[in-house]
Amino acid sequence: MTPVSLKPLEAQRLVAGGATLVDVRDADEHAREHIPGALNMPLAGIADMPAPSGPVIFHCRSGMRTAANATRLADAVPGSPSYILAGGIDAWRTEGLPTTVDRGQPLEIMRQVQLAAGGLVLLGVILGFLMTPLFFGLSAFVGAGLMVAGATGWCGMATLLRRLPWNRRTLAA
C-alpha cells in the first residue's frame, strides 16, 4: 500500500498523538538539521527499521526522496499505517514548525561534492584558456567521475570528502 501524503501541520498532529517520525536522509544531513524527535533511518538501511508500534511518517529534505521510494518505505513497516511528509523538512520549516539546527556540523557530503566538482571544472576551464589546453582534461576527468557516480551510485569524490577531518564530527553526533 502506498503511503498517504500529509501536510506538515497534519504530520505534527499525528506525531503529537504518538506517530513515529522517520528521517530517511543520510546521517550528515540529519546532524546538520532535523525535526526534534525524528528517528534517523537512512534510506539505504530502511529495510532494517525496527517494527513501529503505530503510524509512521517518513520525511526527507524536500519530499522527493520519500515520494520516489514510497512503496519501499511502506514495505519497511508492514501492518502499520504509513505516511509521507509532503515537502519534507523544507515544508516543515516553512510552516514555522521547530527544527534543531547545528551549524557547527559540516555541509552535507553531496553539497561538498557539488562545490568541489564545480570548482574543479571551472578551474580546468580557466586554466585551459589561460595556460594550456591540457587543463581541459581536469574538467573532463571530473565530468567522467560524475557520470560514473550517476550510473553506479558510487562517488569517489564523496568517499574522499567523507575522510577529511572536518567531516568526522557527524560520526560522533
Side-chain angles (χ1 to χ4, degrees):
M1 175 187 264
T2 304
V4 175
S5 183
L6 294 177
K7 292 182 179 183
L9 293 173
E10 295 170 307
Q12 182 190 39
R13 186 178 44 77
L14 277 178
V15 169
T20 302
L21 184 61
V22 177
D23 185 345
V24 301
R25 299 174 303 149
D26 289 335
D28 60 330
E29 295 175 275
H30 181 82
R32 188 152 174 90
E33 180 180 23
H34 61 272
I35 298 171
L39 169 69
N40 184 225
M41 183 62 59
L43 195 55
I46 203 72
D48 300 327
M49 185 175 151
S53 60
V56 178
I57 305 167
F58 295 100
H59 85 84
C60 60
R61 185 182 58 80
S62 67
M64 300 215 24
R65 243 179 294 190
T66 51
N69 292 281
T71 303
R72 182 176 170 194
L73 295 172
D75 291 346
V77 290
S80 293
S82 59
Y83 303 92
I84 290 176
L85 176 59
I89 193 172
D90 290 346
W92 183 276
R93 189 182 333 97
T94 299
E95 286 291 330
L97 299 173
T99 64
T100 300
V101 178
D102 183 354
R103 300 275 182 230
Q105 290 291 334
L107 288 175
E108 295 88 357
I109 291 295
M110 289 318 300
R111 285 186 59 197
Q112 291 181 44
V113 167
Q114 292 164 343
L115 288 167
L120 287 171
V121 167
L122 183 61
L123 180 65
V125 169
I126 291 170
L127 293 176
F129 280 119
L130 296 178
M131 298 184 78
T132 175
L134 293 174
F135 279 108
F136 289 127
L138 174 61
S139 298
F141 179 73
V142 172
L146 291 173
M147 294 293 292
V148 167
T152 66
W154 179 83
C155 180
M157 189 179 293
T159 302
L160 175 67
L161 287 169
R162 274 192 189 94
R163 291 191 170 111
L164 294 175
W166 62 81
N167 286 320
R168 293 193 183 135
R169 182 164 181 216
T170 56
L171 297 176

mmCIF file of all heavy atoms in Angstrom, residues 7-13 15 21 34-36 61 85-99:
data_model
loop_
_atom_site.group_PDB
_atom_site.id
_atom_site.type_symbol
_atom_site.label_atom_id
_atom_site.label_comp_id
_atom_site.label_asym_id
_atom_site.label_seq_id
_atom_site.Cartn_x
_atom_site.Cartn_y
_atom_site.Cartn_z
ATOM 1 N N LYS A 7 0.384 17.053 4.973
ATOM 2 C CA LYS A 7 0.951 18.390 5.106
ATOM 3 C C LYS A 7 1.616 18.479 6.484
ATOM 4 O O LYS A 7 1.280 17.712 7.397
ATOM 5 C CB LYS A 7 -0.139 19.446 4.948
ATOM 6 C CG LYS A 7 -0.683 19.483 3.537
ATOM 7 C CD LYS A 7 -1.720 20.561 3.365
ATOM 8 C CE LYS A 7 -2.173 20.526 1.915
ATOM 9 N NZ LYS A 7 -3.112 21.559 1.596
ATOM 10 N N PRO A 8 2.562 19.408 6.647
ATOM 11 C CA PRO A 8 3.304 19.487 7.915
ATOM 12 C C PRO A 8 2.446 19.601 9.169
ATOM 13 O O PRO A 8 2.720 18.924 10.162
ATOM 14 C CB PRO A 8 4.186 20.725 7.726
ATOM 15 C CG PRO A 8 4.418 20.784 6.252
ATOM 16 C CD PRO A 8 3.118 20.323 5.649
ATOM 17 N N LEU A 9 1.403 20.408 9.144
ATOM 18 C CA LEU A 9 0.577 20.557 10.345
ATOM 19 C C LEU A 9 -0.179 19.272 10.679
ATOM 20 O O LEU A 9 -0.352 18.935 11.849
ATOM 21 C CB LEU A 9 -0.378 21.742 10.195
ATOM 22 C CG LEU A 9 0.309 23.118 10.150
ATOM 23 C CD1 LEU A 9 -0.703 24.216 9.838
ATOM 24 C CD2 LEU A 9 1.047 23.408 11.451
ATOM 25 N N GLU A 10 -0.608 18.534 9.642
ATOM 26 C CA GLU A 10 -1.255 17.236 9.868
ATOM 27 C C GLU A 10 -0.260 16.244 10.458
ATOM 28 O O GLU A 10 -0.587 15.490 11.380
ATOM 29 C CB GLU A 10 -1.788 16.670 8.552
ATOM 30 C CG GLU A 10 -2.895 17.479 7.902
ATOM 31 C CD GLU A 10 -3.201 16.989 6.502
ATOM 32 O OE1 GLU A 10 -2.267 16.888 5.676
ATOM 33 O OE2 GLU A 10 -4.388 16.712 6.238
ATOM 34 N N ALA A 11 0.969 16.282 9.928
ATOM 35 C CA ALA A 11 2.016 15.388 10.435
ATOM 36 C C ALA A 11 2.340 15.714 11.892
ATOM 37 O O ALA A 11 2.493 14.798 12.711
ATOM 38 C CB ALA A 11 3.269 15.504 9.569
ATOM 39 N N GLN A 12 2.431 16.987 12.211
ATOM 40 C CA GLN A 12 2.726 17.390 13.588
ATOM 41 C C GLN A 12 1.637 16.880 14.541
ATOM 42 O O GLN A 12 1.937 16.393 15.628
ATOM 43 C CB GLN A 12 2.840 18.908 13.690
ATOM 44 C CG GLN A 12 3.197 19.371 15.095
ATOM 45 C CD GLN A 12 3.077 20.869 15.263
ATOM 46 O OE1 GLN A 12 2.149 21.499 14.733
ATOM 47 N NE2 GLN A 12 4.016 21.454 15.991
ATOM 48 N N ARG A 13 0.389 16.958 14.102
ATOM 49 C CA ARG A 13 -0.722 16.475 14.925
ATOM 50 C C ARG A 13 -0.612 14.967 15.161
ATOM 51 O O ARG A 13 -0.802 14.481 16.281
ATOM 52 C CB ARG A 13 -2.048 16.823 14.240
ATOM 53 C CG ARG A 13 -3.281 16.512 15.051
ATOM 54 C CD ARG A 13 -4.573 16.924 14.356
ATOM 55 N NE ARG A 13 -4.663 16.604 12.941
ATOM 56 C CZ ARG A 13 -4.919 15.396 12.448
ATOM 57 N NH1 ARG A 13 -5.115 14.376 13.246
ATOM 58 N NH2 ARG A 13 -4.989 15.192 11.141
ATOM 59 N N VAL A 15 2.182 13.148 15.034
ATOM 60 C CA VAL A 15 3.355 12.906 15.884
ATOM 61 C C VAL A 15 2.991 13.178 17.345
ATOM 62 O O VAL A 15 3.359 12.414 18.238
ATOM 63 C CB VAL A 15 4.567 13.755 15.429
ATOM 64 C CG1 VAL A 15 5.680 13.719 16.462
ATOM 65 C CG2 VAL A 15 5.082 13.269 14.080
ATOM 66 N N LEU A 21 8.088 9.611 13.642
ATOM 67 C CA LEU A 21 8.592 10.401 12.525
ATOM 68 C C LEU A 21 9.963 9.861 12.162
ATOM 69 O O LEU A 21 10.854 9.782 13.014
ATOM 70 C CB LEU A 21 8.679 11.878 12.919
ATOM 71 C CG LEU A 21 9.093 12.864 11.840
ATOM 72 C CD1 LEU A 21 8.096 12.858 10.679
ATOM 73 C CD2 LEU A 21 9.191 14.265 12.424
ATOM 74 N N HIS A 34 17.453 18.719 11.827
ATOM 75 C CA HIS A 34 16.436 17.677 11.907
ATOM 76 C C HIS A 34 15.237 18.158 12.710
ATOM 77 O O HIS A 34 15.317 19.149 13.428
ATOM 78 C CB HIS A 34 17.008 16.385 12.509
ATOM 79 C CG HIS A 34 17.521 16.554 13.903
ATOM 80 N ND1 HIS A 34 18.805 16.946 14.179
ATOM 81 C CD2 HIS A 34 16.920 16.394 15.106
ATOM 82 C CE1 HIS A 34 18.978 17.028 15.490
ATOM 83 N NE2 HIS A 34 17.843 16.697 16.073
ATOM 84 N N ILE A 35 14.161 17.434 12.550
ATOM 85 C CA ILE A 35 12.950 17.698 13.325
ATOM 86 C C ILE A 35 13.127 17.022 14.678
ATOM 87 O O ILE A 35 13.475 15.834 14.731
ATOM 88 C CB ILE A 35 11.704 17.157 12.594
ATOM 89 C CG1 ILE A 35 11.538 17.878 11.243
ATOM 90 C CG2 ILE A 35 10.460 17.312 13.454
ATOM 91 C CD1 ILE A 35 10.480 17.273 10.339
ATOM 92 N N PRO A 36 12.939 17.763 15.778
ATOM 93 C CA PRO A 36 13.122 17.157 17.099
ATOM 94 C C PRO A 36 12.276 15.887 17.260
ATOM 95 O O PRO A 36 11.104 15.861 16.894
ATOM 96 C CB PRO A 36 12.649 18.250 18.067
ATOM 97 C CG PRO A 36 12.818 19.524 17.306
ATOM 98 C CD PRO A 36 12.538 19.175 15.865
ATOM 99 N N ARG A 61 14.415 15.795 2.779
ATOM 100 C CA ARG A 61 14.588 17.246 2.747
ATOM 101 C C ARG A 61 13.429 17.927 2.031
ATOM 102 O O ARG A 61 12.806 18.819 2.572
ATOM 103 C CB ARG A 61 15.918 17.639 2.090
ATOM 104 C CG ARG A 61 16.167 19.154 2.147
ATOM 105 C CD ARG A 61 17.447 19.578 1.472
ATOM 106 N NE ARG A 61 17.517 19.211 0.078
ATOM 107 C CZ ARG A 61 16.932 19.879 -0.922
ATOM 108 N NH1 ARG A 61 16.219 20.944 -0.676
ATOM 109 N NH2 ARG A 61 17.057 19.462 -2.165
ATOM 110 N N LEU A 85 5.690 12.960 4.618
ATOM 111 C CA LEU A 85 5.590 14.389 4.885
ATOM 112 C C LEU A 85 5.779 15.141 3.565
ATOM 113 O O LEU A 85 6.878 15.160 3.004
ATOM 114 C CB LEU A 85 6.650 14.820 5.908
ATOM 115 C CG LEU A 85 6.723 16.311 6.226
ATOM 116 C CD1 LEU A 85 5.403 16.825 6.781
ATOM 117 C CD2 LEU A 85 7.848 16.568 7.216
ATOM 118 N N ALA A 86 4.699 15.715 3.043
ATOM 119 C CA ALA A 86 4.755 16.448 1.773
ATOM 120 C C ALA A 86 5.690 17.642 1.919
ATOM 121 O O ALA A 86 5.558 18.435 2.848
ATOM 122 C CB ALA A 86 3.363 16.918 1.375
ATOM 123 N N GLY A 87 6.654 17.731 1.025
ATOM 124 C CA GLY A 87 7.594 18.850 1.062
ATOM 125 C C GLY A 87 8.744 18.663 2.020
ATOM 126 O O GLY A 87 9.623 19.524 2.107
ATOM 127 N N GLY A 88 8.753 17.559 2.763
ATOM 128 C CA GLY A 88 9.856 17.238 3.662
ATOM 129 C C GLY A 88 10.110 18.274 4.745
ATOM 130 O O GLY A 88 9.235 19.069 5.097
ATOM 131 N N ILE A 89 11.351 18.262 5.238
ATOM 132 C CA ILE A 89 11.722 19.181 6.317
ATOM 133 C C ILE A 89 11.676 20.635 5.841
ATOM 134 O O ILE A 89 11.430 21.544 6.637
ATOM 135 C CB ILE A 89 13.101 18.815 6.921
ATOM 136 C CG1 ILE A 89 13.344 19.553 8.246
ATOM 137 C CG2 ILE A 89 14.216 19.076 5.931
ATOM 138 C CD1 ILE A 89 14.582 19.104 8.999
ATOM 139 N N ASP A 90 11.852 20.853 4.532
ATOM 140 C CA ASP A 90 11.751 22.217 3.998
ATOM 141 C C ASP A 90 10.351 22.777 4.229
ATOM 142 O O ASP A 90 10.192 23.925 4.662
ATOM 143 C CB ASP A 90 12.088 22.253 2.503
ATOM 144 C CG ASP A 90 13.555 22.012 2.208
ATOM 145 O OD1 ASP A 90 14.386 22.077 3.146
ATOM 146 O OD2 ASP A 90 13.878 21.754 1.031
ATOM 147 N N ALA A 91 9.315 21.984 3.950
ATOM 148 C CA ALA A 91 7.931 22.425 4.159
ATOM 149 C C ALA A 91 7.635 22.582 5.651
ATOM 150 O O ALA A 91 6.935 23.511 6.059
ATOM 151 C CB ALA A 91 6.963 21.434 3.523
ATOM 152 N N TRP A 92 8.172 21.670 6.460
ATOM 153 C CA TRP A 92 8.003 21.736 7.921
ATOM 154 C C TRP A 92 8.523 23.078 8.439
ATOM 155 O O TRP A 92 7.848 23.772 9.189
ATOM 156 C CB TRP A 92 8.759 20.566 8.541
ATOM 157 C CG TRP A 92 8.666 20.415 10.022
ATOM 158 C CD1 TRP A 92 9.435 21.051 10.949
ATOM 159 C CD2 TRP A 92 7.785 19.561 10.772
ATOM 160 N NE1 TRP A 92 9.098 20.650 12.215
ATOM 161 C CE2 TRP A 92 8.085 19.728 12.131
ATOM 162 C CE3 TRP A 92 6.793 18.665 10.404
ATOM 163 C CZ2 TRP A 92 7.413 19.043 13.134
ATOM 164 C CZ3 TRP A 92 6.133 17.978 11.406
ATOM 165 C CH2 TRP A 92 6.431 18.167 12.744
ATOM 166 N N ARG A 93 9.735 23.440 8.011
ATOM 167 C CA ARG A 93 10.362 24.700 8.423
ATOM 168 C C ARG A 93 9.562 25.891 7.903
ATOM 169 O O ARG A 93 9.344 26.872 8.625
ATOM 170 C CB ARG A 93 11.795 24.762 7.909
ATOM 171 C CG ARG A 93 12.604 25.905 8.438
ATOM 172 C CD ARG A 93 14.029 25.990 7.883
ATOM 173 N NE ARG A 93 14.634 24.750 7.443
ATOM 174 C CZ ARG A 93 14.658 24.318 6.179
ATOM 175 N NH1 ARG A 93 14.110 25.013 5.213
ATOM 176 N NH2 ARG A 93 15.255 23.180 5.873
ATOM 177 N N THR A 94 9.077 25.818 6.659
ATOM 178 C CA THR A 94 8.295 26.905 6.055
ATOM 179 C C THR A 94 7.011 27.160 6.843
ATOM 180 O O THR A 94 6.568 28.303 6.940
ATOM 181 C CB THR A 94 7.957 26.569 4.578
ATOM 182 O OG1 THR A 94 9.189 26.419 3.865
ATOM 183 C CG2 THR A 94 7.133 27.653 3.931
ATOM 184 N N GLU A 95 6.431 26.120 7.420
ATOM 185 C CA GLU A 95 5.219 26.267 8.230
ATOM 186 C C GLU A 95 5.522 26.860 9.613
ATOM 187 O O GLU A 95 4.617 27.059 10.407
ATOM 188 C CB GLU A 95 4.525 24.911 8.405
ATOM 189 C CG GLU A 95 3.823 24.419 7.177
ATOM 190 C CD GLU A 95 2.586 25.235 6.822
ATOM 191 O OE1 GLU A 95 1.928 25.793 7.726
ATOM 192 O OE2 GLU A 95 2.288 25.324 5.621
ATOM 193 N N GLY A 96 6.788 27.109 9.892
ATOM 194 C CA GLY A 96 7.165 27.678 11.189
ATOM 195 C C GLY A 96 7.275 26.643 12.289
ATOM 196 O O GLY A 96 7.349 26.990 13.468
ATOM 197 N N LEU A 97 7.304 25.370 11.915
ATOM 198 C CA LEU A 97 7.431 24.300 12.908
ATOM 199 C C LEU A 97 8.902 24.148 13.296
ATOM 200 O O LEU A 97 9.793 24.453 12.500
ATOM 201 C CB LEU A 97 6.851 22.998 12.347
ATOM 202 C CG LEU A 97 5.347 23.084 11.998
ATOM 203 C CD1 LEU A 97 4.886 21.824 11.298
ATOM 204 C CD2 LEU A 97 4.528 23.339 13.249
ATOM 205 N N PRO A 98 9.171 23.661 14.498
ATOM 206 C CA PRO A 98 10.549 23.660 15.002
ATOM 207 C C PRO A 98 11.464 22.628 14.349
ATOM 208 O O PRO A 98 11.041 21.516 14.036
ATOM 209 C CB PRO A 98 10.378 23.347 16.488
ATOM 210 C CG PRO A 98 9.109 22.562 16.565
ATOM 211 C CD PRO A 98 8.224 23.136 15.483
ATOM 212 N N THR A 99 12.703 23.030 14.158
ATOM 213 C CA THR A 99 13.777 22.126 13.750
ATOM 214 C C THR A 99 14.970 22.406 14.648
ATOM 215 O O THR A 99 15.092 23.494 15.207
ATOM 216 C CB THR A 99 14.196 22.311 12.274
ATOM 217 O OG1 THR A 99 14.738 23.616 12.105
ATOM 218 C CG2 THR A 99 13.040 22.084 11.330
#
